[in-house]
Amino acid sequence: MKLLRSLALAARPVQPEPHFRAQQFSRIYCLTAAGLFALQAIVAMLGALDLVIPDLPSPIPFEYGRAIHLGLAEMWPLIATMGMVYFFVTAELKREIYSPRLARWQFWLALAFTLSIYGTLALRIGNGREFLDGLPVLYLGLCSTLAVAVYNLLRTLLASGKQVTPAAVTMTVGMVFLLLLLLPNTIHYSNPIADEATKFWVVHLWEEMAFELTSAGFIAAFFITSGIAVRSQVEKWLYLEASFAVAAGLYSTGHHYYWIGFPAIWLAIGSLVSLLQVIPVGMLVHMTYKGLKAAKLTSKREKLTLWLVLSSLFYHVTGASLLGLLITVPWVNLYMHGTYVTSGHAHLALFGSLGFVVLAGCYYILSRGSEPSSRGYKAAVVAVVLLNVGLVIMGSALIVAGTLQSYLWRFLGNSFMQVSAVINPYLILRVLGGSLFALGDLLLFGVLFGAWRQTKAHPVGKP
Amino acid sequence: MKLRTFLVLSGLSFVLFVAVNLISWQLPLAIPQSAAAGKLVWQHHNCISCHTLFGNGGYVGEDLTHIVAKYSSSELVTYLVNPPVMRPNKHTLHPALSEPDAEQLVTYLEYVRTLPTLGWPPQPEKAGDYR
Ligand code: HEM
Ligand code: HEM
């Protein structure tokens, strides 16, 4: 507690900005997401230790621990995104959300369903689908919260009429897709091919399409509202970038369809369209680069936000796009698929590019109306460094482990368990990287919590 | 680009995507009832957290897509009903199934073996000792 307080102390209040009730609620979404992120690191460390310490006693068996970890990987970005969309859509449209009450209900529903999923999984009640483990009815519940969000956002956009901005539309369309893609995952498939495919509508399309839209919207709105970029400049590109993200995102799902029983044409669709996926990433980088060159970084708060956004861009280009492209080549994928290389890519891409941008948004929202003290700022920088160093160690260790598996097991044909023994040192290295990451995670949570406390005491611009 | 163009493009891409998926995931052979029951056993015991199927899943144990090509079904049932110690542990046993569950599950794995996976899992250069 003392540490937390000292992180936030001596924060200077700054210029008030227009304030809406939806923005007040978005804070609780962001704080909850940061809390779930901290929880994820703890669960993950236990799982990673379980893999390298034989006979480790654990109240939750590895298989359910992994399911909780994967569920958290989707859910904290989702909850943060819900809050951030409310924040930035109201900021963009300069009007209150259609129904602040619905926005609040939506939060409690989302939290209840999320916690129910983890609670039941901890009791070993699930349905055995990777990434989407948990009773289907709970996922239906999550769909209902997304439906509330979509309704609320659409009513707000409609009320704005001609004033709607591309950033607001892009974020709303992102939310619509989150809902449409999750819905087919609330039913049971006895067809294993359909089961695998619809799973990737969340695993791939949430991350590489829907969240891409919401993130592009945040970054655009952040640049515009903080005066880093000129509105007309950003808006010229945004719909084009969003259209690319949708079309390329959808058909690049093909790179998950190579070996699950889909026709061979998907080898071509998957690999060719994945190339196009790099275009929206390039445009995002371009937009940020131009913004940065023009930016005059005076406030520590905006600097910190930018550090987080920049971390995200780094992994977006490396761990997501470059590594993603490499493993998309069917001949490479044939050998690397189903090895720790996938896990390396998953961590670098999912946390690196999505997680960092979501945390940037959470920090920006929670710290609004304050400036970090120099101690708080230093702590936050240490947290960002720890997260980055930890992630790079973790990702590299997994990539090496996976490459060894591809060569020794897949290519040369040694037995799986023999090779598992060979890669064990790299899984230990992953635990070490994971520890740094987890430290950074807890420290960043402290910073976010501190920012929340600080600004809770001095609500800015409250009407 | 205009708002309307963006919405129309996105909507059309999505509808077309769903349509080609529905066509592409047709099963070559309908799934028999016992195999469908086996799939439920598979899900119920969360095998996916430790094993991959079609290469998707956890990396603790062997990929099971074509496991029936390497063991007979009775060997597999025995393995699952009386599981051995799970390496690298010294005491912890592999998760166990009841005999009827194990039989259904193996039927499911036999069914999975018939799906056209386009040459996956890859054939290694040298035939290794499997165990
Ligand atoms: C925001 C960016 C991205 C995120 C969050 C992301 C996330 C993920 C995740 C979580 C997986 C693991 C799926 C599983 O375990 O079943 C995965 C697999 C994969 N990703 Fe990405 N990814 C991103 C970008 C890309 C890009 C740009 C490409 C290619 C151009 C790509 C290609 C692949 C491929 C081919 C696989 C399958 C690997 C395999 O199972 O063999 N990814 N991605
Ligand atoms: C302390 C940091 C972390 C540690 C030690 C850790 C550890 C693990 C472990 C042990 C697994 C299961 C085995 C494996 O697939 O490799 C796993 C899987 C996974 N984790 Fe993490 N994790 C951490 C952070 C994260 C974060 C922050 C995210 C995303 C937000 C994430 C996303 C995933 C995903 C998507 C998978 C599935 C990978 C696949 O199927 O290929 N992890 N992680």
Side-chain angles (χ1 to χ4, degrees):
Chain A
M1 262 301 133
K2 216 173 137 203
L3 174 75
L4 291 180
R5 219 167 300 142
S6 73
L7 291 178
L9 247 155
R12 287 174 279 124
V14 292
Q15 199 67 31
E17 298 161 32
H19 185 98
F20 302 105
R21 282 173 72 198
Q23 300 193 325
Q24 192 63 28
F25 301 146
S26 67
R27 291 162 52 83
I28 186 78
Y29 284 92
C30 290
L31 187 68
T32 307
L36 290 174
F37 173 48
L39 176 67
Q40 189 194 15
I42 295 165
V43 177
M45 281 306 293
L46 294 177
L49 281 173
D50 200 333
L51 284 179
V52 295
I53 304 179
D55 296 312
L56 185 74
S58 150
I60 301 174
F62 175 81
E63 54 274 34
Y64 288 94
R66 185 181 196 267
I68 293 175
H69 176 58
L70 295 198
L72 281 164
E74 307 279 0
M75 232 60 94
W76 70 260
L78 174 68
I79 290 185
T81 296
M82 287 176 166
M84 286 157 71
V85 168
Y86 278 140
F87 185 94
F88 286 110
V89 164
T90 46
E92 272 288 289
L93 300 180
K94 299 194 180 61
R95 66 157 56 229
E96 184 58 272
I97 199 77
Y98 166 71
S99 163
R101 244 180 73 193
L102 273 181
R104 189 159 47 189
W105 270 103
Q106 182 200 333
F107 169 76
W108 291 110
L109 279 174
L111 186 65
F113 285 116
T114 305
L115 293 181
S116 312
I117 291 176
Y118 304 135
T120 47
L121 282 176
L123 298 173
R124 309 176 193 193
I125 304 169
N127 79 333
R129 292 181 79 214
E130 199 194 10
F131 288 95
L132 292 156
D133 208 351
L135 296 174
V137 60
L138 298 177
Y139 283 91
L140 201 60
L142 273 181
C143 285
S144 73
T145 64
L146 277 167
V148 170
V150 165
Y151 174 74
N152 215 353
L153 288 166
L154 285 179
R155 289 299 296 249
T156 314
L157 286 191
L158 286 177
S160 293
K162 287 251 177 306
Q163 323 267 275
V164 295
T165 65
V169 172
T170 306
M171 285 185 267
T172 304
V173 171
M175 294 297 280
V176 173
F177 273 125
L178 287 174
L179 172 62
L180 289 179
L181 296 164
L182 184 60
L183 260 182
N185 280 289
T186 56
I187 53 175
H188 175 76
Y189 296 88
S190 52
N191 173 345
I193 307 180
D195 195 344
E196 284 297 307
T198 42
K199 175 183 91 180
F200 284 112
W201 293 10
V202 169
V203 178
H204 171 89
L205 285 174
W206 265 28
E207 324 296 358
E208 286 165 61
M209 191 256 255
F211 282 140
E212 200 95 350
L213 294 180
T214 52
S215 304
F218 305 148
I219 294 183
F222 166 60
F223 279 3
I224 294 168
T225 45
S226 59
I228 292 178
V230 187
R231 180 175 286 281
S232 61
Q233 274 271 328
V234 173
E235 295 191 341
K236 205 166 77 191
W237 293 103
L238 205 53
Y239 281 141
L240 189 64
E241 185 190 329
S243 307
F244 253 113
V246 171
L250 280 169
Y251 295 93
S252 62
T253 317
H255 62 229
H256 295 284
Y257 291 170
Y258 291 170
W259 326 113
I260 65 170
F262 268 53
I265 178 83
W266 285 94
L267 287 169
I269 301 177
S271 42
L272 294 179
V273 180
S274 296
L275 283 173
L276 298 183
Q277 245 193 313
V278 178
I279 295 174
V281 177
M283 289 167 86
L284 197 67
V285 173
H286 177 75
M287 186 165 98
T288 314
Y289 176 73
K290 286 194 76 164
L292 271 188
K293 258 192 22 186
K296 298 208 175 36
L297 299 173
T298 48
S299 106
K300 288 201 180 100
R301 169 174 174 251
E302 280 173 357
K303 258 193 216 168
L304 256 183
T305 310
L306 271 173
W307 277 125
L308 290 163
V309 171
L310 283 182
S311 303
S312 159
L313 281 177
F314 172 71
Y315 298 102
H316 215 137
V317 173
T318 55
S321 303
L322 291 179
L323 183 58
L325 268 184
L326 174 73
I327 59 178
T328 297
V329 178
W331 296 276
V332 176
N333 192 270
L334 182 64
Y335 290 97
M336 292 202 154
H337 179 57
T339 69
Y340 276 108
V341 174
T342 309
S343 183
H345 166 69
H347 284 95
L348 291 169
L350 195 53
F351 180 76
S353 68
L354 178 65
F356 266 124
V357 88
V358 164
L359 288 175
C362 288
Y363 174 73
Y364 183 77
I365 290 173
L366 289 174
S367 63
R368 190 165 75 141
S370 73
E371 263 288 285
S373 62
S374 60
R375 233 178 114 186
Y377 181 72
K378 269 188 209 135
V381 171
V382 171
V384 174
V385 170
L386 281 172
L387 284 170
N388 274 296
V389 173
L391 183 60
V392 168
I393 295 179
M394 213 161 45
S396 321
L398 289 169
I399 291 171
V400 174
T403 309
L404 284 171
Q405 280 185 309
S406 310
Y407 182 67
L408 297 173
W409 168 45
R410 282 308 187 196
F411 190 72
L412 293 183
N414 293 297
S415 92
F416 176 84
M417 289 309 284
Q418 248 173 7
V419 177
S420 291
V422 173
I423 62 174
N424 201 41
Y426 298 96
L427 297 186
I428 296 176
L429 189 59
R430 185 258 281 275
V431 175
L432 295 180
S435 321
L436 296 181
F437 184 93
L439 271 181
D441 181 342
L442 295 176
L443 191 56
L444 191 68
F445 176 69
V447 170
L448 288 168
F449 187 77
W452 174 75
R453 274 173 57 102
Q454 180 67 29
T455 46
K456 193 175 90 159
H458 309 280
V460 172
K462 207 162 187 179
Chain B
M1 189 183 271
K2 292 250 164 46
L3 168 64
R4 184 187 307 239
T5 324
F6 168 54
L7 293 182
V8 170
L9 265 179
S10 305
L12 283 180
S13 308
F14 182 66
V15 171
L16 183 67
F17 175 77
V18 173
V20 288
N21 269 266
L22 288 171
I23 297 168
S24 299
W25 72 42
Q26 296 300 321
L27 291 170
L29 290 168
I31 181 165
Q33 204 148 33
S34 56
K39 183 171 184 290
L40 282 172
V41 176
W42 170 267
Q43 289 185 219
H44 190 71
H45 290 269
N46 219 327
C47 312
I48 198 71
S49 277
C50 294
H51 292 279
T52 50
L53 202 61
F54 310 109
N56 297 320
Y59 316 111
V60 183
E62 170 75 273
D63 180 80
L64 299 180
T65 318
H66 286 180
I67 195 77
V68 296
K70 288 161 182 164
Y71 295 103
S72 71
S73 47
S74 64
E75 277 175 314
L76 285 172
V77 170
T78 313
Y79 188 97
L80 293 168
V81 175
N82 297 305
V85 169
M86 182 168 61
R87 283 177 289 175
N89 303 297
K90 298 280 178 300
H91 312 289
T92 315
L93 300 184
H94 187 273
L97 296 181
S98 71
E99 193 155 341
D101 276 1
E103 276 162 6
Q104 284 180 332
L105 189 128
V106 172
T107 320
Y108 175 56
L109 292 176
E110 278 166 348
Y111 175 74
V112 165
R113 173 77 177 88
T114 66
L115 295 175
T117 53
L118 307 183
W120 199 90
Q123 293 305 309
E125 291 290 283
K126 90 173 192 321
D129 61 325
Y130 189 66
R131 264 161 254 250

